[in-house]
Amino acid sequence: MTLLLHRVTFRYRRWDRPVLSDFSYEVPDGGLTILLGPNGAGKSTMLSLLAGTVSPLAGRVLLADSSLSSASREYRRHVAWLPQRVPTSRQLTAREYVAYVAWLKGENRTSAWQRAGTVLDQVGLAEQSGQKTAKLSGGQLRRVGIACALAHDARVILLDEPTAGLDPHQRTVFRDVVRKVAARIPVLMSTHDIADLADEADTVSLMDRGRILHHGGTQSFLDHARPDAAPGRQAESAYSVLMGLDGTP
């Protein structure tokens, strides 16, 4: 199911200039897409528009094959959104919280409870399903967010800087979960950590100042690296070249 922004313009009230102007983007309909870019590039704004949490001043945000717009409740049932800070209730257990989100998205109570247990097992949190969310680590909370998406049959999953603040082990576990999910549901994940694309990404988008500088397969991104880039540093080199940070003309 293709998720897209069509000629969208968006500006925050306190700002004079638009963050995005006549901006178009189409989320690939399979695999994991990594969205790279510096602070202020417009990544979080773009994801918020795709999630339907903010509305554009002009243009459309829609699921193309259904013509559902982001203003509709049905659209938000199909699109799962994991912001940088996972909103949870400290008084609910992990399973209660996932079931509650599934219920809000349209599942009946019995189905929501059953599916919460199933998806928590899928993200490796079966043993923590009875723990209060307040007791979970940052990495575990991110996986709870993924479980919420799986519990209500989301057709696209949007992740905003999900590995920020995680230690190396937590990042590895989380990325393993995302890789498995992306094998069957399209995932768009913004990140500052270029290492996140090393093994997992099918597509790379690079964004700066409200513009897409690159959008294509991971190898086409890496092909921009300088010929003398050290092994294992091609992604960093490609980023620098495309951003004009490496001093080349």
Side-chain angles (χ1 to χ4, degrees), residues 46-198:
M46 174 178 140
L47 288 169
S48 296
L49 285 162
L50 288 168
T53 60
V54 297
S55 300
L57 296 174
R60 301 187 70 194
V61 185
L62 60 129
L63 288 164
D65 61 349
S66 66
S67 297
L68 287 173
S69 75
S70 60
S72 70
R73 182 173 182 178
E74 188 67 16
Y75 173 100
R76 290 188 286 273
R77 284 194 63 189
H78 292 308
V79 179
W81 165 234
L82 181 63
Q84 292 183 31
R85 291 188 177 182
V86 181
T88 58
S89 171
R90 296 176 61 86
Q91 301 306 313
L92 297 180
T93 65
R95 186 171 184 178
E96 288 169 344
Y97 181 72
V98 173
Y100 175 65
V101 171
W103 176 75
L104 288 177
K105 293 288 187 175
E107 298 290 329
N108 65 53
R109 294 192 179 196
T110 299
S111 174
W113 183 253
Q114 292 174 342
R115 298 191 67 167
T118 299
V119 296
L120 283 167
D121 181 51
Q122 290 175 3
V123 300
L125 289 178
E127 294 184 1
Q128 290 79 25
S129 64
Q131 290 187 19
K132 300 286 187 181
T133 58
K135 300 292 186 179
L136 299 179
S137 69
Q140 290 170 336
L141 281 176
R142 305 295 207 289
R143 284 186 277 157
V144 167
I146 293 288
C148 290
L150 298 175
H152 67 87
D153 285 332
R155 300 191 186 184
V156 182
I157 298 179
L158 308 172
L159 310 175
D160 190 9
E161 298 284 352
T163 59
L166 301 186
D167 64 36
H169 174 70
Q170 290 174 334
R171 283 201 301 272
T172 298
V173 172
F174 183 81
R175 285 159 55 180
D176 286 343
V177 169
V178 170
R179 185 190 300 116
K180 292 176 183 177
V181 170
R184 55 195 179 91
I185 303 172
V187 175
L188 174 62
M189 181 174 87
S190 74
T191 181
H192 280 95
D193 188 355
I194 297 177
D196 281 336
L197 69 85

Side-chain angles (χ1 to χ4, degrees), residues 5 8-12 15 18-20 23 35 40-55 61 81 160 207:
L5 301 171
V8 162
T9 296
F10 180 84
R11 175 177 57 82
Y12 292 103
W15 294 1
V19 179
L20 302 175
F23 178 87
L35 179 61
K43 303 188 304 298
S44 292
T45 298
M46 174 178 140
L47 288 169
S48 296
L49 285 162
L50 288 168
T53 60
V54 297
S55 300
V61 185
W81 165 234
D160 190 9
M207 188 175 189

Side-chain angles (χ1 to χ4, degrees), residues 6-41:
H6 179 65
R7 304 193 68 176
V8 162
T9 296
F10 180 84
R11 175 177 57 82
Y12 292 103
R13 290 183 180 180
R14 64 186 183 276
W15 294 1
D16 294 329
R17 298 179 59 185
V19 179
L20 302 175
S21 182
D22 199 28
F23 178 87
S24 295
Y25 182 85
E26 183 172 323
V27 179
D29 60 6
L32 172 62
T33 299
I34 296 289
L35 179 61
L36 298 173
N39 288 329

